């Protein structure tokens, strides 16, 4: 019997299991297939904080959430429609997030007494009434995979590793996704181990067939291709990959060769890995012995005439602090990517937070101003990275680009830019034969760049204060002059930054300010509330230091200004310092989880009632 195909506007699915169950691969493959169908999508991978938490425990649960739609979306969704739970720990950690009446697909093969004990459960939630109000679809995935692959030469342990693809096949049938892209991926991924590729392909097809032939589901669902996407060529992109592509592109637009000096750290390591695969674009990558060596090698690359780059997270930024001051006083272009994570110290290394803003703006000894930019989404990360490269090269300065764990591992459809249409980045390089003073400045207070080895351009720069000719200077007046010049140069970047424009009803009296990854949830919340008759305005800030011109005039129009942040109010503190006549309010969340549009709508509604 042909089952009914039910059209839906959007769907939220969460895959959850042990960190060894392949949930990230499952979610990634579902995302790639969904992108090929033409849906708009947003994803949120959620990793355990411990490198290898005990299997089957709550601390070891790994999740992947995807929201896909036939219209524009900005978040991975608030509450899942479907939860795929591979064991009791995954179920008990995640089921409360599910929509009431939502569907739970439970792998009953991993709900033994031992599994329940590992999850610290006294009874089986599939049987004790815990899941009343949800639709539970029990499937012994373990047993089915063992039966399907009983003739395989693989070990039992290896066969059970195929259960994520069995689950993926079920979800492909349920949401009308094609199998072909995943089959192609398996053949490529396991080209040297065809027996593993074949086993996973059999599991994938078997899961699809099971959902099609058995009465597990009431029908199939279909989410049509997104009707709001602009014409063009799209691909599904991860935030860290977008930054890597942006770094290579920014260097190309400036006519430079990039050099990355970095030390692996969660969640920034993937940028190093992506760039190391770009040798055909003259990218040089150095995996150094520590964070300090990473940034110092990048500064050395800039001194030699390359575009120096270093990548890290909050703890690594702390170690790079002294070298950041060196980059400031030498006035060399350098892009520092900080993929923020929950801190302090090691904190929650796989969880999301926005708590490095004050560190980025002020966290150096002496007067050491550095521009700070924050990206909002995986796709926006490309544009922000190119912008960071522009400012670094055109103003001869280090630039800090802030991402976070949510952006780094999230995905969304990204429209491929036409490289020829991207504006070139101007370089101000001294030429052989001209009189060269290393700290002589143009009207923007920017010095020229000279690589060592060019005849007649010999010069000295370094960590000691210098005069215009590059000589070491202990003169008090010169130090004050140079400090002012470096500060004024950075403030002059504002002349090249557009004033951000608020969205929403211009007669609104409530302004919501976003920066970084909360952008999507805030935009969703404000747009939904305005459609429901509320009156809210949204302003997103990309450039966080220096602040763009025109913000004072915008702020003065509103009775209340609220800033949701995944910290304890860091942007509020900065804005209060810069605009003391304006009152800013914080709405904070620091739980290692992103804001949801539902949470924000509830808080904004309370504020509107108070006004």
């Amino acid at each position: 019997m042909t089952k009914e195909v039910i059209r839906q506007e959007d769907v939220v699915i969460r895959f959850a299991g042990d960190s060894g169950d392949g949930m990230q691969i499952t979610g990634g493959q579902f995302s790639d297939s969904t992108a090929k169908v033409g849906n708009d999508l947003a994803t949120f991978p959620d990793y355990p904080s411990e490198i290898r938490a005990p299997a089957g425990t709550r601390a070891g649960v790994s999740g992947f959430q995807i929201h896909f739609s036939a219209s524009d979306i900005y978040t991975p969704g608030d509450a899942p429609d479907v939860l795929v739970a591979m064991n009791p720990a995954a179920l008990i950690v995640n089921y409360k997030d599910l929509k009431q009446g939502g569907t739970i697909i439970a792998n009953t093969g991993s709900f033994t007494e031992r599994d329940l004990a590992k999850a610290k459960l006294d009874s089986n939630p599939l049987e004790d009434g815990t899941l009343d109000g949800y639709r539970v679809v029990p499937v012994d995935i373990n047993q089915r995979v063992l039966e399907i692959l009983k003739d395989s030469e693989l070990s039992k342990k290896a066969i059970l590793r195929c259960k994520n693809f069995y689950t993926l096949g079920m979800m492909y049938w349920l949401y009308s996704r094609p199998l072909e892209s995943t089959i192609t991926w398996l053949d490529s991924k396991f080209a040297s181990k065809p027996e593993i590729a074949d086993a996973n392909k059999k599991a994938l097809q078997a899961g699809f067939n099971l959902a099609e032939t058995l009465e597990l589901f009431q029908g199939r669902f279909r989410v049509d291709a997104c009707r709001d996407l602009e014409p063009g060529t799209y691909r599904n992109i991860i935030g860290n990959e977008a930054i890597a592509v942006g770094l290579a592109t920014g260097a190309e637009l400036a006519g430079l060769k990039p050099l990355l000096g970095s030390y692996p750290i969660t969640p920034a390591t993937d940028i190093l890995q992506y760039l190391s695969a770009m040798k055909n674009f003259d990218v040089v990558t150095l995996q150094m012995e520590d964070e300090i060596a990473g940034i110092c090698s990048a500064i050395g690359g800039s001194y030699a005439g390359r575009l120096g780059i270093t990548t890290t997270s909050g703890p690594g930024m702390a170690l790079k602090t002294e070298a950041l001051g060196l980059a400031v006083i030498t006035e060399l272009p350098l892009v520092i990517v900080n993929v923020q994570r929950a801190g302090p110290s090691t904190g929650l290394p796989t969880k999301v937070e926005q708590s490095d803003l004050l560190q980025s703006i002020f966290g150096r000894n002496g007067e050491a101003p550095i521009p700070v930019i924050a990206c909002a989404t995986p796709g926006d990360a490309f544009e922000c990275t190119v912008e960071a490269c522009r400012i670094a090269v055109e103003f001869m300065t280090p630039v800090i680009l802030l991402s976070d764990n949510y952006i780094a591992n999230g995905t969304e459809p990204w429209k491929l830019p036409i490289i020829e249409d991207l504006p070139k980045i101007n370089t101000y390089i001294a030429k052989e034969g001209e009189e060269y003073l290393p700290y002589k400045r143009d009207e923007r207070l920017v010095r020229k760049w000279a690589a060592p080895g060019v005849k007649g351009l010999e010069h000295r720069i370094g960590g000691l204060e210098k005069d215009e000719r590059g000589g070491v200077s202990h003169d008090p007046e010169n130090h004050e002059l140079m400090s002012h010049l470096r500060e004024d140069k950075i403030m002059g970047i504002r002349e090249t930054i557009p004033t951000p424009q608020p969205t929403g009803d211009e007669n609104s009296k409530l302004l919501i300010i976003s920066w970084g990854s909360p952008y999507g949830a805030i935009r969703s919340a404000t747009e939904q509330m305005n459609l429901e008759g509320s009156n809210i305005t949204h302003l997103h800030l990309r450039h966080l230091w220096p602040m763009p011109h025109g913000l004072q005039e915008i702020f003065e129009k509103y009775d209340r200004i609220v800033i949701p942040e995944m910290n304890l109010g860091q942007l509020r503190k900065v804005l209060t310092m810069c605009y003391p006549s304006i009152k800013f309010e914080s709405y904070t969340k620091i739980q290692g989880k992103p804001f949801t549009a539902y949470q924000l709508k509830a808080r904004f509604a309370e504020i509107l009632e108070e006004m």
Side-chain angles (χ1 to χ4, degrees):
M1 183 179 71
T2 302
K3 296 181 181 179
E4 179 185 3
V5 177
I6 305 166
R7 275 183 161 74
Q8 288 189 294
E9 180 66 16
D10 68 325
V11 174
V12 180
I13 301 172
R14 183 179 298 177
F15 299 94
D18 190 69
S19 58
D21 284 339
M23 293 297 93
Q24 306 305 321
I25 291 176
T26 305
Q29 286 302 304
F30 194 96
S31 300
D32 288 345
S33 295
T34 296
K36 289 180 172 65
V37 170
N39 298 129
D40 195 10
L41 65 93
T43 68
F44 178 50
D46 188 18
Y47 302 90
S49 289
E50 296 182 46
I51 292 175
R52 187 61 177 165
T57 65
R58 300 188 189 199
V61 173
S62 176
F64 189 103
Q65 183 161 308
I66 176 171
H67 181 195
F68 55 104
S69 176
S71 57
D72 276 346
I73 55 173
Y74 309 108
T75 74
D78 289 355
D81 298 283
V82 178
L83 169 64
V84 177
M86 301 299 286
N87 60 30
L91 174 64
I92 209 68
V93 166
N94 289 282
Y95 84 93
K96 290 182 180 179
D97 293 336
L98 197 65
K99 289 178 182 175
Q100 194 64 26
T103 299
I104 296 172
I105 300 173
N107 174 24
T108 58
S110 291
F111 276 72
T112 66
E113 290 296 326
R114 185 181 178 191
D115 295 315
L116 295 171
K118 287 180 180 179
K120 297 189 182 304
L121 291 170
D122 297 325
S123 60
N124 189 338
L126 299 178
E127 302 170 352
D128 63 9
T130 299
L131 304 180
D132 290 349
Y134 303 102
R135 183 169 188 269
V136 180
V137 179
V139 183
D140 190 341
I141 297 173
N142 293 6
Q143 184 60 36
R144 290 182 180 276
V145 170
L146 289 170
E147 290 174 358
I148 294 157
L149 300 176
K150 61 184 177 181
D151 296 328
S152 172
E153 297 178 359
L154 298 177
S155 66
K156 180 179 178 181
K157 183 177 180 180
I159 288 173
L160 286 175
R161 286 185 184 141
C162 300
K163 62 188 178 185
N164 61 324
F165 281 93
Y166 187 94
T167 306
L168 183 61
M170 293 171 58
M171 300 308 292
Y172 276 172
W173 181 88
L174 184 59
Y175 287 102
S176 308
R177 310 284 99 174
L179 303 179
E180 288 74 20
S181 64
T182 296
I183 291 172
T184 301
W185 180 86
L186 284 167
D187 286 333
S188 174
K189 177 71 174 177
F190 299 106
S192 62
K193 298 179 180 179
E195 68 280 5
I196 296 179
D198 289 343
N200 281 300
K201 287 189 290 185
K202 287 180 180 178
L204 178 74
Q205 187 66 60
F208 188 93
N209 293 343
L210 173 84
E212 185 172 36
T213 56
L214 298 185
E215 297 294 328
L216 294 178
F217 305 104
Q218 294 170 321
R220 299 183 76 181
F221 299 94
R222 179 180 179 86
V223 179
D224 292 329
C226 182
R227 54 185 171 271
D228 298 325
L229 291 179
E230 296 178 3
T233 302
Y234 286 81
R235 56 160 296 189
N236 196 34
I237 198 161
I238 300 171
N240 273 344
E241 185 180 10
I243 289 175
V245 174
L247 290 167
T249 302
E252 177 70 20
L253 293 172
L256 300 170
K257 297 178 180 180
L259 183 144
L260 172 73
S262 281
Y263 178 74
I265 183 172
T266 301
T269 303
D270 286 345
I271 303 173
L272 169 61
Q273 294 174 339
Y274 286 126
L275 282 171
S276 67
M278 296 184 184
K279 294 180 177 64
N280 54 317
F281 294 106
D282 289 321
V283 178
V284 171
T285 54
L286 306 174
Q287 180 175 321
M288 305 305 291
E289 66 270 23
D290 56 39
E291 293 283 2
I292 299 171
I295 187 171
C296 287
S297 64
I299 293 172
S302 289
Y303 176 68
R306 283 182 172 261
L307 176 58
I309 304 161
T310 191
T311 55
T312 190
S313 189
M317 283 291 287
L319 292 168
K320 295 180 189 290
T321 297
E322 184 178 2
L324 285 171
L326 176 62
V328 169
I329 200 169
T330 55
E331 299 187 55
L332 286 167
L334 178 70
V335 178
I336 307 101
V337 181
N338 177 2
V339 186
Q340 301 167 97
R341 70 191 204 188
S345 187
T346 305
L348 299 172
T350 64
K351 305 303 179 182
V352 66
E353 207 163 277
Q354 288 181 285
S355 52
D356 296 348
L357 179 60
L358 295 180
Q359 178 193 43
S360 299
I361 297 176
F362 303 117
R364 292 164 292 282
N365 68 297
E367 295 294 338
I370 294 181
V372 179
I373 301 171
C375 42
T377 68
D380 181 59
F382 171 82
E383 294 183 14
C384 288
T385 304
V386 172
E387 171 69 351
C389 294
R390 178 192 74 83
I391 293 175
V393 171
E394 293 190 352
F395 287 86
M396 292 293 287
T397 179
V399 177
I400 294 173
L401 174 66
L402 292 177
S403 177
D404 63 37
N405 216 336
Y406 182 77
I407 296 168
N409 296 304
T411 61
E412 68 176 354
W414 175 55
K415 184 181 177 182
L416 296 179
I418 300 174
I419 299 298
E420 293 76 17
D421 293 343
L422 296 176
K424 297 296 182 182
I425 295 174
N426 298 315
T427 54
Y428 300 92
I429 299 174
K431 295 181 174 56
E432 183 177 350
E434 70 175 87
E435 180 185 9
Y436 180 63
L437 300 177
Y439 288 105
K440 182 179 180 181
R441 303 168 187 278
D442 62 15
E443 68 281 357
R444 301 169 303 128
L445 304 179
V446 178
R447 78 177 190 90
K448 283 191 175 181
W449 192 5
V454 180
K455 184 178 180 180
L457 302 184
E458 296 85 358
H459 64 286
R460 294 174 61 188
I461 59 174
L464 291 171
E465 187 65 275
K466 304 293 193 297
D467 59 23
E468 187 179 75
R469 293 181 172 275
V472 175
S473 173
H474 300 288
D475 179 61
E477 285 77 16
N478 177 70
H479 176 55
E480 183 167 8
L481 172 65
M482 295 294 275
S483 295
H484 278 294
L485 289 172
R486 289 188 288 263
E487 172 76 11
D488 291 345
K489 179 184 75 169
I490 299 306
M491 292 300 107
I493 294 171
R494 291 179 294 184
E495 306 305 323
T496 68
I497 298 172
T499 301
Q501 297 303 307
T503 59
D505 194 319
E506 60 182 20
N507 296 317
S508 167
K509 295 301 180 183
L510 172 61
L511 175 67
I512 309 298
I513 298 177
S514 64
W515 74 273
S517 63
Y519 161 82
I522 293 172
R523 178 167 178 179
S524 292
T526 54
E527 287 188 356
Q528 290 172 24
M529 293 185 72
N530 285 336
L531 288 173
E532 294 164 2
S534 299
N535 197 355
I536 305 176
T537 303
H538 175 207
L539 178 70
H540 181 73
L541 298 180
R542 169 183 283 183
H543 296 86
L544 301 173
W545 197 264
M547 293 285 177
H549 288 306
L551 293 183
Q552 176 80 30
E553 292 76 13
I554 292 174
F555 297 154
E556 289 174 346
K557 297 178 181 179
Y558 299 91
D559 292 343
R560 292 182 70 172
I561 302 176
V562 179
I563 310 169
E565 299 183 76
M566 290 184 291
N567 55 46
L568 297 180
Q570 294 191 16
L571 181 61
R572 179 188 59 79
K573 294 171 184 175
V574 174
L575 290 176
T576 299
M577 177 191 72
C578 295
Y579 306 97
S581 64
I582 307 294
K583 181 181 178 181
F584 300 95
E585 304 174 39
S586 286
Y587 177 48
T588 64
K589 180 178 182 178
I590 188 163
Q591 302 173 6
K593 295 182 177 182
F595 283 106
T596 65
Y598 176 82
Q599 291 172 327
L600 293 168
K601 288 175 66 176
R603 178 57 187 146
F604 299 162
E606 290 175 357
I607 294 171
L608 289 172
E609 289 180 3
E610 296 166 0
M611 293 177 65

